Amino acid sequence: MIRTLIFGAIAGYVGKKLYDDGKLTEFKDDLVARYHDAKANLDAQRADTAPVISPTTSPAAPLAH
């Protein structure tokens, strides 16, 4: 338990130091940019593999009540 407290204190100190120096903002911006790139790639892959609906096919008729 004491190791956990010591590690938490060190991590907090280092995190505060990085935050004050602005290093975490750069890290966050990099993560956001990578996320958006991955999302765009995934959307492009989905668009490439999406089933193509033929314009000559008629839509299904609605059910009569």
Side-chain angles (χ1 to χ4, degrees):
M1 183 172 141
I2 194 83
R3 280 186 278 164
T4 304
L5 292 174
I6 292 171
F7 179 77
I10 293 170
Y13 176 78
V14 171
K16 175 84 166 88
K17 189 94 170 135
L18 289 172
Y19 178 77
D20 289 343
D21 292 344
K23 305 274 185 194
L24 294 181
T25 304
E26 295 171 15
F27 178 71
K28 180 193 72 103
D29 293 342
D30 182 50
L31 283 179
V32 169
R34 288 174 186 241
Y35 169 77
H36 289 302
D37 289 344
K39 186 176 178 186
N41 289 342
L42 186 60
D43 289 343
Q45 285 178 349
R46 286 182 181 160
D48 290 344
T49 60
V52 178
I53 299 174
S54 173
T56 58
T57 355
S58 62
L63 297 174
H65 289 22

